[in-house]
Amino acid sequence: GNHVETGGVGSGDHTAITCTRNCIDQATNPDCLIQDFSCRSGEFLDENCDCKINLFDPCANKDLRNYQIAPEVISMMESRQQPNDMVQSSEMVDSFILETVDEGWGDINQDKFSVNIDQLPSGQSPSQLFNEIRMNFTNLVVGGDIPILTDVAVMPYSEEDEAIWNSANPVGAAIDFDTAMDTSTVYCVEYNAEEMYWIFATVTSYDHQGHFVAGLRQFGLEPNANGGYSFYTRAADRLGGALDLFANGVFGFFMGDDPMFVHAGNATWGLFMENTSTFIQNNGGETNEFDNNETYGARHPYNEDECLD
C-alpha cells in the first residue's frame, strides 16, 4: 500500500494530503491516484485513501454541529399545520418543531460512514446514481442490529411529503422512521444537486412526538482520492430527550456503553451502507466491501461554546 502523510487533523484546516510512494505508478498501484486531495475539516485520509473523521476530535463534524438552517426553510416548516385532534375545536397546531443539537441531551455523537465506488453503474453519471440512491432511500434503511426491537420501516410522513421527496427538490419533505418502540421524524432542510447531498434535521412531529436523537444528518456522493466516488452519511446529534438519556443508561448497564447509538444509530447506518453497496453492485457498479466491524462514530462531552467558527 501507499505511505500516506496527513497534516492538521482536527486543527480546523483542510487536511493536506501527500502520497509519497508509488502514487504516480497508477498501473501497478491503484491506491491514492490523486496526489493532492483535501478532506473536510476534522477528516483525514486513511490507508485506503478514503476520507474518515478523526474519532478523537470533538469538532470533527463542526459544520453540521454549527449548521444554520436557511430562514426560508424554517418558514416552510413552520407553515405546515394540521388540526389539533386533542381538543374539540378548529385549532391548528404546528406539524413539526425542530429539535436542535443544543436542545439534545448528553454527549454529542459525530460519525461518518462511507463506501467507495470503484466503478459507476453502466450509463449512469454520478448525479444520476446519487438520485437513484435518494429515490430508493426508504428501501435501503432497515434498522439496527437487534431483531424486531431496532428494525425500521421508513416512509414519508404524508402523501404530500411523498410527492415532495420524489420531486427534483426534496427540501420540505418529512420522513418517518417507524420502530417497535416509537416513530421518529426527520425533515429535509437542504438539497444540493450540484454537490450531490441532502441534509435531514430531526423534528418533533404532531403525530409521532420527538425523535430519539436531536441534530442533523447529511447524505451524499463525493469524489475520493482514488479517482472514483464515495457515498457517505455523516452526523452531529445527541439523544433527543430525558427519557432517551435514561433508556440509554439503563440499557447501557446491561449492554455496554451507548446502546441507543451503537445498536440503533450506528448499526442502522452500517446496514444502510451495506445495502447501498449491494444496490450499486446490482445496478452494474463496483464498490469496495463495506467493513461493518470498523468504528465510524464517537461520542464526546458536549459544550455549546466549543467548535464555533
Side-chain angles (χ1 to χ4, degrees), residues 163-194:
I164 298 171
W165 179 251
N166 291 324
S167 72
N169 183 357
V171 170
I175 304 292
D176 284 341
F177 289 68
D178 188 18
T179 71
M181 292 181 289
D182 63 7
T183 298
S184 298
T185 307
V186 297
Y187 190 91
C188 185
V189 295
E190 185 178 350
Y191 173 75
N192 190 314
E194 183 177 346

Side-chain angles (χ1 to χ4, degrees), residues 144-152 178-181:
D145 60 7
I146 302 176
I148 301 176
L149 192 63
T150 59
D151 290 350
V152 169
D178 188 18
T179 71
M181 292 181 289

Side-chain angles (χ1 to χ4, degrees), residues 250-294:
V250 170
F251 287 123
F253 180 80
F254 299 101
M255 303 171 65
D257 290 340
D258 287 331
M260 299 282 278
F261 287 111
V262 174
H263 296 287
N266 286 6
T268 292
W269 302 120
L271 288 170
F272 168 68
M273 280 297 157
E274 288 185 354
N275 291 341
T276 301
S277 179
T278 300
F279 175 79
I280 294 169
Q281 292 171 8
N282 288 343
N283 281 276
E286 294 180 8
T287 65
N288 283 1
E289 183 178 354
F290 180 78
D291 184 359
N292 223 337
N293 294 316
E294 190 175 333

Side-chain angles (χ1 to χ4, degrees), residues 41-293:
S41 171
E43 296 182 357
F44 67 97
L45 213 61
D46 71 358
E47 65 275 7
N48 296 316
C49 291
D50 194 19
C51 288
K52 300 288 180 64
I53 66 165
N54 178 1
L55 297 175
F56 300 100
D57 182 1
C59 303
N61 287 345
K62 73 173 186 177
D63 59 322
L64 292 176
R65 183 171 169 154
N66 299 326
Y67 183 84
Q68 298 294 315
I69 300 172
E72 59 268 25
V73 177
I74 294 290
S75 296
M76 185 189 306
M77 182 188 302
E78 291 175 345
S79 71
R80 291 281 299 272
Q81 294 193 320
Q82 59 195 80
N84 185 358
D85 296 333
M86 305 293 182
V87 295
Q88 295 296 322
S89 75
S90 59
E91 179 189 7
M92 300 291 284
V93 293
D94 291 339
S95 295
F96 310 112
I97 300 172
L98 191 65
E99 294 186 42
T100 67
V101 171
D102 283 345
E103 294 167 332
W105 292 67
D107 292 345
I108 184 168
N109 169 71
Q110 294 175 99
D111 62 46
K112 184 183 182 185
F113 300 77
S114 64
V115 58
N116 283 353
I117 303 165
D118 297 325
Q119 182 175 307
L120 296 169
S122 179
Q124 280 193 346
S125 66
S127 61
Q128 287 173 326
L129 174 60
F130 167 67
N131 270 309
E132 282 288 312
I133 294 171
R134 176 170 70 89
M135 293 300 185
N136 285 276
F137 177 78
T138 57
N139 299 318
L140 295 171
V141 179
V142 296
D145 60 7
I146 302 176
I148 301 176
L149 192 63
T150 59
D151 290 350
V152 169
V154 183
M155 66 201 75
Y157 184 79
S158 68
E159 290 184 1
E160 176 185 356
D161 293 290
E162 183 174 16
I164 298 171
W165 179 251
N166 291 324
S167 72
N169 183 357
V171 170
I175 304 292
D176 284 341
F177 289 68
D178 188 18
T179 71
M181 292 181 289
D182 63 7
T183 298
S184 298
T185 307
V186 297
Y187 190 91
C188 185
V189 295
E190 185 178 350
Y191 173 75
N192 190 314
E194 183 177 346
E195 295 186 25
M196 298 183 293
Y197 69 81
W198 78 84
I199 295 176
F200 281 146
T202 56
V203 295
T204 295
S205 68
Y206 175 76
D207 291 313
H208 307 305
Q209 298 307 303
H211 200 294
F212 85 92
V213 296
L216 297 133
R217 180 166 291 278
Q218 180 181 25
F219 301 81
L221 190 69
E222 63 185 0
N224 61 39
N226 290 319
Y229 289 85
S230 297
F231 187 81
Y232 67 89
T233 181
R234 50 193 293 269
D237 52 25
R238 302 165 69 201
L239 291 170
L243 286 176
D244 301 303
L245 185 68
F246 176 75
N248 192 58
V250 170
F251 287 123
F253 180 80
F254 299 101
M255 303 171 65
D257 290 340
D258 287 331
M260 299 282 278
F261 287 111
V262 174
H263 296 287
N266 286 6
T268 292
W269 302 120
L271 288 170
F272 168 68
M273 280 297 157
E274 288 185 354
N275 291 341
T276 301
S277 179
T278 300
F279 175 79
I280 294 169
Q281 292 171 8
N282 288 343
N283 281 276
E286 294 180 8
T287 65
N288 283 1
E289 183 178 354
F290 180 78
D291 184 359
N292 223 337
N293 294 316

